[in-house]
Amino acid sequence: MTLQELSRLNEKFQQKASEMVDLIPGSNLMAFSSAIIRTAQKLDRVLNKVLGAKTEVSFYTQVDALEEEMDELIFMMDKLDDANRKRNIPILIDFVKRGYELLSLYSICCDQIIEQKTKAAKRKDEFERD
């Protein structure tokens, strides 16, 4: 999966978040929706910062920020899932599933970036020793 594809999935997820507001009249889904959209937007921005980091310190600072945003989205998905357990609204069940799938893709991407960065640092260290 490319970064552009991941970004498009994120945008689709944000669109679904905005559509869920009217599902349960009188609920606080508007607050959930807004928070989820903000966090999803931050995920995409921070991932680009991770990729553009020039120094090791900046890289790991941005990775930490990405992990914090992922944790925040996990927290919101868990709360939404818990709130929907009694009602079992299929659209919300699907939305939560999509949220976890998106998080999984960001997690895999983050792991791959860290692995590549670690390998590059190791190669640099080996080169400098020779």
Side-chain angles (χ1 to χ4, degrees), residues 12-23 27-41 73 76-77 80 92 95:
K12 287 180 184 178
F13 178 72
Q14 292 173 47
Q15 179 63 36
K16 291 291 183 189
S18 69
E19 294 170 1
M20 73 176 188
V21 172
D22 298 324
L23 291 177
S27 70
N28 64 348
L29 281 180
M30 177 63 119
F32 263 92
S33 176
S34 297
I36 288 168
I37 291 169
R38 278 192 307 274
T39 301
Q41 289 170 340
L73 192 52
M76 287 185 273
M77 291 292 98
L80 186 58
L92 289 180
F95 178 77

Side-chain angles (χ1 to χ4, degrees), residues 89-108:
I89 298 170
I91 294 171
L92 289 180
I93 293 169
D94 184 56
F95 178 77
V96 169
K97 181 181 172 190
R98 284 179 185 236
Y100 288 128
E101 288 170 354
L102 182 66
L103 282 161
S104 177
L105 292 171
Y106 271 93
S107 180
I108 290 167

Side-chain angles (χ1 to χ4, degrees), residues 1-105:
M1 170 171 283
T2 67
L3 291 174
Q4 292 80 13
E5 291 170 329
L6 182 59
S7 197
R8 276 195 300 266
L9 281 176
N10 187 319
E11 289 173 9
K12 287 180 184 178
F13 178 72
Q14 292 173 47
Q15 179 63 36
K16 291 291 183 189
S18 69
E19 294 170 1
M20 73 176 188
V21 172
D22 298 324
L23 291 177
I24 306 173
S27 70
N28 64 348
L29 281 180
M30 177 63 119
F32 263 92
S33 176
S34 297
I36 288 168
I37 291 169
R38 278 192 307 274
T39 301
Q41 289 170 340
K42 282 183 180 179
L43 273 175
D44 208 41
R45 283 194 308 267
V46 175
L47 179 60
N48 286 314
K49 288 181 180 179
V50 167
L51 292 169
K54 302 287 187 220
T55 66
E56 190 172 330
V57 171
S58 175
F59 175 78
Y60 287 108
T61 299
Q62 295 305 321
V63 167
D64 286 345
L66 184 62
E67 289 173 344
E68 284 180 34
E69 292 306 323
M70 290 177 9
D71 287 346
E72 183 66 23
L73 192 52
I74 289 169
F75 174 75
M76 287 185 273
M77 291 292 98
D78 286 347
K79 283 186 76 170
L80 186 58
D81 189 43
D82 288 344
N84 189 43
R85 287 191 191 272
K86 292 177 187 168
R87 293 189 170 110
N88 278 330
I89 298 170
I91 294 171
L92 289 180
I93 293 169
D94 184 56
F95 178 77
V96 169
K97 181 181 172 190
R98 284 179 185 236
Y100 288 128
E101 288 170 354
L102 182 66
L103 282 161
S104 177
L105 292 171

